[in-house]
Amino acid sequence: MDASELQPIVQFLQQSVPFESLDEATLATCCRSLTVGYYSKASSFVPLDPSHPQLYIVRSGAFEVRDISGELLDRLGEGDYFGFPSLLSGEEASNRVAILEDGLVYHLPPDIFNLLRTKSRQFDRFFNKAFAKRLRHQGRFKARELTTTSRITTLMSHSPLMIDMKSSVADAAKLMRKSRVSSLLVIDNKKLVGILTDKDLRNRVLAENLDGKLPVHQAMTTTPITIESNSLVFEAMLLMSEHNIHHLPVVDNGQTQGVITSTDILRGQSSQPLLLIGEIERQKDLPSLILVSKQIPLLLQNLISADARAEEIGRVLTSVTDALTRRLIVLNQQMLGEAPMAFCWLAFGSQGRQDQAACSDQDNGLLLAHEPDEAAQGYFEALSKAVCAGLNECGYVYCPGDIMAQNPKWRMSLNRWCAVFDKWVNTPDPKALMHCSIFFDMRSVFGPQSLFDGLQDEVLKNTKGNDIFLAGLTGNSLTSTPPLGFFRQFVLERDGTEVKGIDLKHKGNALINDIARVYALSAGIKEVNTAKRIRALMEQNIINRKDALNLADAHEFIAHMRLSNQGYQYTHAKPVTNYLMPKDLSSLVRHQLRDAFKVVHDGQVGLKLKMMRSY
Amino acid sequence: MKSIYLKSKLRWRTLKTSNRTIKHYYRSVLGNLSKPLLQIPLMAIDLEMTGLDPKFDQILSIGLVPIHNGMLQLGKAQHKLVSIDGSVGDSAVIHGIVDRQLATAISAKEAMVWFLSQTQGHVLVAHHAPLDMCFLKAEILRSLGEKMSFVAIDTMSLERSRLLRQHEVLKEGSLRLDACRRRYGLPVYAAHNATVDALACGELLLAQMVAIAGKDDLNLFDLLR
Amino acid sequence: MDVQTLTYLIVGVTFALYIGIAIYSRAGSTKEFYIAGGGVHPVMNGMATAADWMSAASFISLAGIVSFTGYDGSVYLMGWTGGYVLLALCMAPYLRKFGKFTVPDFIGDRYYSQAARTVAVVCAIFICFTYIAGQMRGVGVVFSRFLEVEVETGVYIGMAVVFFYAVLGGMKGITYTQVAQYCVLIFAFMVPAIFISVMMTGHIFPQIGFGAELIDAAGNGTGVYLLDKLDGLSAELGFSQYTEGSKSMIDVFFITGALMFGTAGLPHVIVRFFTVPRVKDARISAGWALVFIAIMYTTIPALAAFSRVNMIETINGPESTGVAYETAPEWIKNWEKTGLIQWDDKNQDGKIYYAKGAESEMKIDRDIMVLATPEIANLPAWVIALVAAGGLAAALSTSAGLLLVISTSVSHDLLKKNLMPDISDKKELLYARIAAALGIVMAGYFGINPPGFVAAVVAIAFGLAASSLFPAIIMGIFSKTVNKEGAISGMVLGLLFTASYIVYFKFVNPSANTSENWFLGISPEGIGMLGMMVNFAVAFGVSKVTSAVPQDVVDMVESIRFPKGSGEAQDH
């Protein structure tokens, strides 16, 4: 029988994007492969069988996609789809589909879904896009606790100490003392057979008055409770408290990967931002601050593995930098005494924008309430030199362009700062415009807000509606374009013959920062964080809502790619760079990255049209 | 009570019949009856006939859509045209089958053998099942010489009792398949043939099952009346 | 190689050059270049400005007008050059200080009124549009001659080329493309002029040859000066003397004024002053632009005179009785194909003859003069091809700039700021492109059915600009009392007055277009200046009787004229 007997279903599919792109024969095959189910709100959720992923096509009724925490991601009605994320990613569905209104749903099995994707590029693109959108939504609303989402791989020790089961407990104890560990994995013929801990030695050997020659396997805990390496930290914590144990061997498919201890988890907890900031504020001298700052890379790793939003990561890392800066100022003021006048410690560039990442250098300056006399100059020179040096030792290297408070050029009174900004705005030569991308993203980290407001208000008053300056700024920002070629292929950067990949920072996020900055300055918006700028611009209807959301999503997506790439580089002991090789990506992510860069390109075109009256 | 009656009736039929196909058919259905409802294979069916009187009118086509695990299986949907004596006549207006199409049809006897083999082990589902059953029984008697008995869920009587329970006044036509479906927000299918109607009936049953059961478990005999 | 092949080749090569530069400057590391070189050199910027400035009207038509009308044509030379100076000295620095990129933006802010801005936008669009129509005609003439088609077809081809260049391509507005265009067009203009000058007078510089004595084929002086010869020829054929004008003093004065003040209101040139970071550099490049413009403008009268003499002599023959059509020079037959030269053998003697009035058997379109000059003078084929490329360069650079102004004014000022504030970037871009395409189509229509010659059409655009935008800008900068009511009514009345005067004499009642019927003897080309006076008078009058200018705007006007910031801020 052919599918013509099922005409109503064929017709329905023909009217649904993207099925309409399929030819008749394919559509018939597809139609023949469907099963039909009816879901009632009596059962609240659509039962998604993880072993049986399929595409759900809503024929009638109303549904809602919510993530684990119950956040709404999408609302679906006739002709909408769900279930495609797990089909595309191969991962188990984590979202839930609530039933709002009873409805009929068609199910398309995965093999046919994949067949259709190969047959129609449009079909494939549609679901990839929908998936990307879903991911972004998921990100937009996501605010998870770190412990619940970070994975144990970042905390566990990857090269655990092992001992053969026939060795003596005395040897085991010596090994443990030598390596200062509290547990050993016991193996037999490369297979994990048990775990030997301090507690075992105490309870089963010493307390029983047994000899040190006792073979390990008689003292160990046999068939220990294990955990898989992709488990969440919080699952490990659950297991430990459930069984009252402190060591969990990490085993994947019978292969021992490592061990995670309660100490590891505790250590992981302390690199949580709030704890870290609290820690910073408790330190009394530079050496201890340096020690604490050693945890910052770990914090970044944790945040990345927790799949936190890139924007959040930037904000968290920056707040740590801010705290460190403030603490350094306070500590130094304790030595130097009260400041002779009010001042603000200004943060520029990425710290100003609150999107710091790994390997940030410092960009800062000092804003003084009025013109300093000799003594005041001496005071501020000493203060800024000490703080900049402290930051340098804490891992925030000196700015190669010397944009730092310790440079007397960037240590000025309010009036002089205003004059400098005035000059940049009125004479936008290339050097001034270069400075703009750093200095116009400024934030006060320390000092009275009113002083800082005085500067910012003056600056924004000058930039707002100053079309000539804005055109210059736009022209400058357009000298760099997203790495897409004429046929939307990726353009890789090269260094001689070596292919470096796509520069996600300078060809991606920096461009969006530029776009947001120009618009924000044109409208006199005070925000400096790119996401906040875009939101403010959207609210004031300076950027169209759709354009703004696209831009914000692209910013988040590219930043996320950059961070996860850096996380990968870090864990694989490769040099941490901004370069990404597109061939390392799945085709799905490549699509999404391309779309994100297209958004950047469109944003640049729009900016050029508005600010330079050109296209 | 109903279950015991039904089962013993089928057992009796199994005993009585000498036709091995039919004996086998009964056994397979019996074997499934005690399973939980979701696991019982159901078969939504629809017949197109030349008229409404089983004595004179004949079956024109049969559409089948199986329901497994509460899901209609479109891949296993089937459709057969049945050849008839004489012309389709006026009824073509309703079912749209004209004589010319019947050229590809199979004989009534072949159709019944095919039907029994396809629905083996299945509980049938039809809208206004008694009528369809009458036609099937009559045809099987005619072509196979056997008095047949089926287990069939009637979505129309389910609907009637549901409406009566809600003290609704039954209006003319309110029990028609499309009218019933509309009550559950199911889409209206423009085209009509045996398969589409079988599908429509199957979907209606799924919706009715949910409506009758709510959060409770349901068994087959709640649906047979 | 014949002229046509050479034309294809040279036009192709110059286009490849523009595209190549566009691609190179896009892909190349412009940023590094900027930082290393500290921006575009003022000389380069001067050339780019000159390319923007010199349109197809300057290149193709101006010499034609001067050639045909002699002294009268010089009003265009004076008006445009004067306008440039006015723009560079009196307006650009102040507008720059004000921080506004476009004239409507300035007017909107200065007169604190969206309505004033919208009126200014409409004026600007109208002016640009008329200006492009002139360019289209010029491009059409070029294509028609060198592809040997009717001038209408030439305009269609030109429309397509301009559309691809200005709407779809991304090569406009790039300084180095403009520089290349300037080089091509000035080279194309100078080569034939120098050739002819050497041939006729023995002087390399056409400017000197203009006032020198003619030489014979052997290179000996004939004792006859070029202008004397031309005056003699003109008188002989019934034209007024070449060096004497036919226009009244007041008309010449008004036309010059309209052109001058209109120039200052032209939106696409002002932008060039803003793309240079330092005001000092802007001034220097304006000076260079003036030099580069002068190279061409001082050559125009010479070229006009040379070609006039050549043309009359080749048509009428040595005895001034005409030559037989069969033996007529090649160029006449070539141009006949375009319909821009027509021969009507009135006395049936089989000879072509050119003179003033009814006696003349030749109808010659003035716009062909520059393009035909190399042919008339029997210059090598590559020179002819080069002139074609130059004409295109002139038309493209100007139309691209103007189309940008039109399309972004429509999409941004009219749609985004007035009608559809919620429009997305993509839509805005789309509407901009549609507006540009519409602009080209309508300009093409006027290019095919011109209300006058290229330069005259353009002159109308200037007249409109002079009567509407120029007073609003000047009052905006130099007066603290003119308010929005005054400015709006001034612009509207000035524009209406000028437009209706022009429309009446050019379209409604063209037969009455003689000096006796003109108001105060002012021709439609010059009425813009009177419109400007109307504008000033209305604006001051209305401002007197309506509410005063708000204090913050008064402060703003004061700060514009305060010198600080128009230069550099103090270095620290």
Side-chain angles (χ1 to χ4, degrees):
Chain A
M1 194 192 89
D2 57 59
S4 66
E5 299 297 340
L6 296 166
Q7 202 51 39
I9 304 203
V10 176
Q11 266 168 11
F12 170 74
L13 290 181
Q14 268 168 350
Q15 286 159 11
S16 311
V17 188
F19 283 90
E20 104 272 297
S21 66
L22 303 169
D23 61 72
E24 215 146 301
T26 317
L27 210 55
T29 321
C30 154
C31 185
R32 299 289 298 170
S33 70
L34 294 177
T35 62
V36 184
Y38 187 86
Y39 297 101
S40 150
K41 58 176 174 258
S43 52
S44 324
F45 291 101
V46 176
L48 300 172
D49 182 355
S51 62
H52 214 68
Q54 46 193 357
L55 179 72
Y56 295 77
I57 308 166
V58 177
R59 177 63 214 252
S60 69
F63 301 83
E64 269 179 1
V65 183
R66 289 178 178 275
D67 71 6
I68 306 177
S69 57
E71 280 292 349
L72 176 67
L73 299 180
D74 212 347
R75 205 162 254 149
L76 311 170
E78 183 180 326
D80 290 333
Y81 308 93
F82 58 92
F84 52 86
S86 30
L87 281 178
L88 289 169
S89 66
E91 280 174 26
E92 227 173 79
S94 59
N95 297 332
R96 300 209 289 175
V97 180
I99 305 161
L100 296 183
E101 227 176 83
D102 297 3
L104 208 56
V105 174
Y106 300 153
H107 312 109
L108 187 73
D111 49 334
I112 301 293
F113 180 74
N114 288 328
L115 176 80
L116 299 185
R117 278 175 62 203
T118 58
K119 284 214 166 181
S120 158
R121 203 176 136 64
Q122 236 171 305
F123 187 90
D124 188 35
R125 301 268 296 147
F126 176 87
F127 283 105
N128 280 336
K129 275 196 172 161
F131 182 36
K133 192 175 147 214
R134 177 74 56 81
L135 280 183
R136 289 189 222 137
H137 271 266
Q138 213 153 350
R140 198 177 283 161
F141 297 116
K142 191 165 61 186
R144 296 189 204 154
E145 269 298 309
L146 281 175
T147 31
T148 56
T149 54
S150 68
R151 309 205 173 251
I152 61 170
T153 37
T154 52
L155 298 179
M156 69 187 214
S157 53
H158 288 270
S159 46
L161 287 171
M162 308 206 200
I163 191 161
D164 191 87
M165 62 181 272
K166 294 187 193 80
S167 312
S168 67
V169 287
D171 287 346
K174 277 174 203 154
L175 182 61
M176 286 161 80
R177 186 183 64 189
K178 192 178 132 217
S179 337
R180 295 163 170 236
V181 295
S182 55
S183 69
L184 291 176
L185 298 184
V186 185
I187 51 168
D188 178 25
N189 213 355
K190 289 186 182 161
K191 236 184 124 241
L192 180 74
V193 290
I195 183 167
L196 185 73
T197 64
D198 279 350
K199 209 165 86 184
D200 294 332
L201 291 178
R202 191 172 67 232
N203 294 350
R204 299 200 186 132
V205 184
L206 294 176
E208 300 280 332
N209 274 329
L210 289 175
D211 195 287
K213 289 198 184 82
L214 185 77
V216 168
H217 65 89
Q218 287 186 23
M220 70 184 186
T221 310
T222 48
T223 53
I225 294 153
T226 64
I227 191 165
E228 284 182 16
S229 66
N230 65 354
S231 311
L232 301 174
V233 170
F234 124 100
E235 289 176 301
M237 286 165 73
L238 270 182
L239 271 179
M240 287 182 187
S241 68
E242 210 173 303
H243 300 277
N244 194 23
I245 50 175
H246 301 282
H247 305 83
L248 284 174
V250 182
V251 178
D252 287 340
N253 301 323
Q255 291 283 313
T256 310
Q257 302 292 332
V259 66
I260 184 162
T261 67
S262 49
T263 330
D264 292 333
I265 292 177
L266 218 61
R267 184 164 51 87
Q269 301 274 0
S270 72
S271 57
Q272 291 235 19
L274 277 180
L275 289 171
L276 192 58
I277 289 171
E279 196 96 329
I280 286 169
E281 274 156 11
R282 274 198 302 279
Q283 303 310 312
K284 296 267 189 299
D285 50 15
L286 180 61
S288 49
L289 271 179
I290 294 171
L291 211 61
V292 173
S293 68
K294 294 268 184 285
Q295 292 191 27
I296 296 173
L298 187 62
L299 170 66
L300 176 63
Q301 284 312 307
N302 270 345
L303 288 162
I304 292 173
S305 81
D307 222 12
R309 281 168 56 68
E311 195 209 328
E312 262 168 44
I313 295 180
R315 278 220 302 275
V316 167
L317 287 180
T318 309
S319 62
V320 173
T321 316
D322 290 355
L324 207 54
T325 313
R326 274 196 292 270
R327 192 66 198 156
L328 281 167
I329 295 171
V330 170
L331 288 177
N332 281 295
Q333 278 195 303
Q334 285 170 1
M335 287 186 279
L336 292 167
E338 190 86 355
M341 66 178 81
F343 72 97
C344 282
W345 185 274
L346 304 177
F348 301 116
S350 61
Q351 192 186 353
R353 277 191 309 272
Q354 296 178 291
D355 65 356
Q356 282 192 311
C359 56
S360 293
D361 51 10
Q362 21 176 324
D363 288 316
N364 46 43
L366 214 55
L367 167 65
L368 310 178
H370 31 83
E371 209 59 44
D373 55 20
E374 200 91 347
Q377 276 195 357
Y379 175 89
F380 286 116
E381 184 177 354
L383 177 69
S384 53
K385 279 210 165 124
V387 173
C388 288
L391 283 171
N392 185 46
E393 290 191 60
C394 287
Y396 299 90
V397 293
Y398 284 129
C399 169
D402 210 12
I403 300 176
M404 282 182 293
Q406 63 175 14
N407 180 350
K409 203 174 162 187
W410 308 123
R411 206 165 59 223
M412 287 184 283
S413 66
L414 175 61
N415 285 339
R416 295 225 283 151
W417 271 112
C418 287
V420 167
F421 274 104
D422 240 36
K423 178 183 145 77
W424 287 333
V425 171
N426 286 318
T427 311
D429 59 23
K431 206 171 163 208
L433 292 171
M434 249 234 319
H435 279 144
C436 288
S437 67
I438 300 166
F439 284 97
F440 279 87
D441 298 343
M442 62 175 171
R443 209 159 45 82
S444 166
V445 174
F446 182 96
Q449 190 62 31
S450 56
L451 178 59
F452 176 73
D453 284 345
L455 175 60
Q456 203 182 28
D457 290 344
E458 173 66 22
V459 169
L460 290 177
K461 201 184 88 198
N462 272 326
T463 61
K464 187 177 176 182
N466 190 333
D467 295 353
I468 292 172
F469 164 69
L470 295 168
L473 201 56
T474 305
N476 190 55
S477 77
L478 295 181
T479 51
S480 181
T481 51
L484 292 180
F486 190 74
F487 300 103
R488 291 191 65 198
Q489 79 281 21
F490 286 117
V491 176
L492 304 184
E493 257 166 69
R494 280 158 218 278
D495 186 7
T497 49
E498 183 206 3
V499 179
K500 284 159 74 180
I502 306 173
D503 187 341
L504 292 174
K505 183 181 177 189
H506 298 101
K507 300 274 179 186
N509 278 74
L511 304 186
I512 301 179
N513 291 339
D514 285 347
I515 293 171
R517 182 182 312 113
V518 175
Y519 280 123
L521 293 179
S522 81
I525 287 170
K526 283 190 157 202
E527 301 289 354
V528 286
N529 177 275
T530 297
K532 285 185 188 161
R533 273 177 171 165
I534 293 173
R535 198 167 308 143
L537 290 164
M538 182 174 89
E539 277 157 11
Q540 297 188 18
N541 210 8
I542 289 160
I543 312 186
N544 164 284
R545 188 182 150 77
K546 202 177 119 205
D547 292 339
L549 289 179
N550 275 340
L551 213 52
D553 286 348
H555 188 256
E556 173 59 33
F557 184 78
I558 298 172
H560 189 92
M561 291 302 300
R562 175 172 158 230
L563 282 173
S564 54
N565 186 47
Q566 288 180 340
Y568 174 86
Q569 290 168 336
Y570 181 84
T571 49
H572 288 73
K574 290 179 177 174
V576 174
T577 67
N578 295 315
Y579 291 102
L580 177 77
M581 291 300 289
K583 68 170 167 30
D584 296 342
L585 302 173
S586 73
S587 79
L588 174 65
V589 178
R590 268 209 304 273
H591 269 311
Q592 293 168 347
L593 191 60
R594 203 167 291 156
D595 284 350
F597 280 129
K598 181 78 175 45
V599 168
V600 179
H601 173 259
D602 291 347
Q604 286 197 331
V605 170
L607 189 69
K608 190 176 179 193
L609 185 66
K610 289 197 183 78
M611 299 295 167
M612 295 180 81
R613 300 308 189 86
S614 180
Y615 51 85
Chain B
M1 272 303 285
K2 206 154 43 185
S3 76
I4 297 169
Y5 166 72
L6 194 74
K7 282 179 187 165
S8 40
K9 182 172 134 193
L10 283 182
R11 286 207 181 90
W12 171 244
R13 294 270 185 198
T14 322
L15 265 176
K16 257 186 77 182
T17 182
S18 55
N19 185 320
R20 287 187 55 201
T21 319
I22 293 175
K23 212 187 261 287
H24 201 70
Y25 183 90
Y26 285 140
R27 284 215 183 98
S28 63
V29 173
L30 264 172
N32 283 337
L33 283 186
S34 340
K35 290 182 180 168
L37 179 60
L38 264 184
Q39 287 171 28
I40 302 174
L42 305 177
M43 182 69 78
I45 69 160
D46 187 67
L47 307 181
E48 306 282 351
M49 289 89 66
T50 53
L52 291 176
D53 189 340
K55 281 194 188 116
F56 305 108
D57 294 318
Q58 305 167 59
I59 299 175
L60 279 168
S61 69
I62 306 173
L64 304 176
V65 183
I67 308 174
H68 296 159
N69 291 321
M71 305 281 172
L72 284 147
Q73 312 290 319
L74 295 192
K76 293 177 188 152
Q78 303 207 58
H79 187 248
K80 281 277 189 268
L81 292 173
V82 184
S83 62
I84 51 159
D85 304 327
S87 164
V88 172
D90 293 343
S91 65
V93 180
I94 302 168
H95 45 64
I97 299 171
V98 290
D99 295 325
R100 191 161 37 82
Q101 288 174 299
L102 292 177
T104 60
I106 54 175
S107 75
K109 184 174 175 182
E110 284 166 341
M112 287 308 108
V113 172
W114 168 80
F115 179 82
L116 289 177
S117 71
Q118 291 305 315
T119 61
Q120 199 168 67
H122 287 76
V123 170
L124 305 181
V125 179
H127 200 65
H128 196 14
L131 181 70
D132 296 58
M133 294 310 124
C134 275
F135 269 88
L136 286 168
K137 283 177 189 166
E139 190 53 55
I140 288 171
L141 189 62
R142 199 149 45 214
S143 47
L144 301 177
E146 282 286 339
K147 199 159 174 278
M148 191 70 198
S149 182
F150 292 105
V151 185
I153 297 169
D154 182 9
T155 51
M156 182 155 139
S157 79
L158 279 179
E159 190 66 12
R160 183 191 298 118
S161 56
R162 247 176 63 70
L163 289 181
L164 288 177
R165 220 176 14 234
Q166 291 164 7
H167 303 289
E168 292 234 5
V169 182
L170 292 182
K171 286 195 209 80
E172 171 89 36
S174 65
L175 289 177
R176 285 222 195 99
L177 183 53
D178 276 347
C180 295
R181 286 171 61 84
R182 220 168 284 136
R183 236 167 267 131
Y184 296 90
L186 293 168
V188 173
Y189 294 147
H192 283 282
N193 61 43
T195 320
V196 172
D197 283 346
L199 172 68
C201 167
E203 289 173 357
L204 175 62
L205 178 72
L206 295 183
Q208 284 173 328
M209 278 160 53
V210 167
I212 293 167
K215 282 198 161 81
D216 304 329
D217 277 344
L218 202 63
N219 75 52
L220 176 66
F221 300 98
D222 296 325
L223 301 177
L224 295 170
R225 51 192 87 223
Chain C
M1 258 188 283
D2 64 344
V3 175
Q4 203 159 354
T5 321
L6 269 171
T7 308
Y8 281 127
L9 199 69
I10 291 188
V11 170
V13 166
T14 53
F15 263 74
L17 178 70
Y18 309 148
I19 294 170
I21 291 174
I23 291 173
Y24 178 79
S25 63
R26 231 185 216 193
S29 44
T30 21
K31 200 157 194 167
E32 283 83 351
F33 170 81
Y34 261 109
I35 291 156
V40 181
H41 194 275
V43 174
M44 295 289 163
N45 206 55
M47 284 195 199
T49 314
D52 259 340
W53 176 258
M54 285 190 290
S55 58
S58 302
F59 188 92
I60 295 172
S61 202
L62 203 47
I65 288 203
V66 176
S67 181
F68 275 68
T69 59
Y71 176 75
D72 286 345
S74 62
V75 292
Y76 294 99
L77 288 173
M78 293 188 295
W80 282 342
T81 319
Y84 185 80
V85 175
L86 191 66
L87 176 66
L89 296 184
C90 295
M91 289 167 59
Y94 297 106
L95 288 186
R96 189 198 163 86
K97 176 75 175 61
F98 198 80
K100 287 297 162 201
F101 206 65
T102 65
V103 169
D105 276 340
F106 168 76
I107 289 178
D109 267 26
R110 163 60 182 84
Y111 297 110
Y112 46 95
S113 149
Q114 185 64 28
R117 169 207 292 278
T118 310
V119 171
V121 167
V122 173
C123 291
I125 292 176
F126 196 69
I127 293 158
C128 288
F129 178 68
T130 326
Y131 202 45
I132 294 188
Q135 308 299 314
M136 280 300 168
R137 175 80 181 167
V139 181
V141 171
V142 175
F143 279 115
S144 64
R145 165 60 189 89
F146 294 106
L147 303 177
E148 304 199 330
V149 290
E150 290 279 308
V151 67
E152 281 81 7
T153 320
V155 173
Y156 293 134
I157 297 170
M159 281 161 66
V161 171
V162 170
F163 181 80
F164 279 104
Y165 184 83
V167 180
L168 298 181
M171 48 197 137
K172 68 238 151 199
I174 294 171
T175 308
Y176 288 93
T177 315
Q178 303 274 73
V179 170
Q181 280 171 342
Y182 175 78
C183 293
V184 168
L185 79 86
I186 201 70
F187 188 63
F189 199 83
M190 294 309 293
V191 165
I194 292 171
F195 255 106
I196 298 175
S197 177
V198 170
M199 272 165 52
M200 291 176 71
T201 66
H203 289 282
I204 289 179
F205 294 106
Q207 288 88 342
I208 300 174
F210 185 48
E213 71 184 294
L214 295 164
I215 55 170
D216 59 19
N220 304 314
T222 54
V224 183
Y225 283 83
L226 173 68
L227 289 174
D228 292 339
K229 164 120 184 180
L230 203 48
D231 275 347
L233 277 175
S234 301
E236 197 179 314
L237 299 174
F239 296 101
S240 58
Q241 283 214 339
Y242 195 77
T243 52
E244 300 269 312
S246 64
K247 287 185 160 68
S248 66
M249 182 63 107
I250 186 167
D251 196 22
V252 169
F253 180 72
F254 269 80
I255 294 177
T256 311
L259 291 171
M260 202 167 122
F261 300 124
T263 304
L266 271 185
H268 71 290
V269 181
I270 284 188
V271 172
R272 279 258 156 236
F273 289 96
F274 303 152
T275 50
V276 187
R278 277 181 292 271
V279 176
K280 198 176 112 202
D281 289 349
R283 290 226 176 91
I284 296 174
S285 57
W288 278 108
L290 201 58
V291 170
F292 293 126
I293 293 170
I295 293 177
M296 183 166 164
Y297 273 33
T298 52
T299 310
I300 285 175
L303 187 73
F306 292 140
S307 51
R308 180 80 176 166
V309 170
N310 264 336
M311 185 194 88
I312 294 174
E313 285 194 332
T314 47
I315 291 180
N316 291 354
E319 286 85 36
S320 252
T321 52
V323 292
Y325 182 68
E326 292 74 37
T327 60
E330 189 73 11
W331 64 271
I332 292 188
K333 287 168 186 161
N334 283 337
W335 281 99
E336 269 192 308
K337 290 177 197 150
T338 66
L340 295 170
I341 285 186
Q342 281 160 3
W343 175 50
D344 176 17
D345 195 3
K346 287 176 188 157
N347 56 9
Q348 302 290 323
D349 63 354
K351 286 179 171 179
I352 53 173
Y353 184 69
Y354 178 72
K356 187 182 169 74
E359 247 183 282
S360 178
E361 298 176 354
M362 303 299 291
K363 268 177 72 181
I364 301 173
D365 194 301
R366 297 182 217 183
D367 290 340
I368 71 169
M369 278 319 294
V370 170
L371 297 170
T373 297
E375 289 179 86
I376 298 173
N378 270 321
L379 295 184
W382 63 268
V383 178
I384 301 170
L386 191 62
V387 172
L392 279 181
L396 285 180
S397 59
T398 312
S399 358
L402 288 165
L403 277 172
L404 272 185
V405 173
I406 291 191
S407 57
T408 58
S409 293
V410 169
S411 70
H412 198 71
D413 295 325
L414 290 186
L415 295 182
K416 169 91 182 173
K417 289 214 167 123
N418 281 326
L419 303 173
M420 311 177 191
D422 210 20
I423 190 172
S424 77
D425 286 358
K426 268 205 169 129
K427 280 266 170 58
E428 207 180 315
L429 184 61
L430 178 70
Y431 284 123
R433 292 210 157 117
I434 291 174
L438 277 180
I440 291 177
V441 169
M442 287 168 66
Y445 174 80
F446 285 110
I448 291 166
N449 309 297
F453 300 97
V454 175
V457 172
V458 171
I460 293 170
F462 284 93
L464 297 176
S467 63
S468 56
L469 295 182
F470 179 75
I473 300 171
I474 287 293
M475 292 183 292
I477 297 171
F478 295 102
S479 160
K480 282 180 269 183
T481 53
V482 176
N483 59 15
K484 71 171 172 195
E485 290 84 0
I488 295 174
S489 44
M491 277 194 285
V492 170
L493 280 175
L495 187 74
L496 275 183
F497 171 79
T498 310
S500 41
Y501 192 85
I502 292 171
V503 167
Y504 177 78
F505 281 113
K506 290 274 176 187
F507 301 100
V508 179
N509 197 0
S511 56
N513 193 9
T514 54
S515 54
E516 301 86 68
N517 297 329
W518 292 341
F519 179 67
L520 296 177
I522 301 167
S523 64
E525 283 79 14
I527 198 66
M529 187 164 160
L530 195 63
M532 179 186 90
M533 293 171 179
V534 170
N535 188 334
F536 274 122
V538 170
F540 280 114
V542 172
S543 299
K544 273 246 151 56
V545 295
T546 44
S547 56
V549 178
Q551 189 55 41
D552 57 325
V553 176
V554 174
D555 294 346
M556 197 160 71
V557 176
E558 264 170 3
S559 79
I560 296 182
R561 279 155 50 199
F562 181 59
K564 179 218 144 190
S566 63
E568 289 114 295
Q570 71 278 17
D571 262 317
H572 50 258

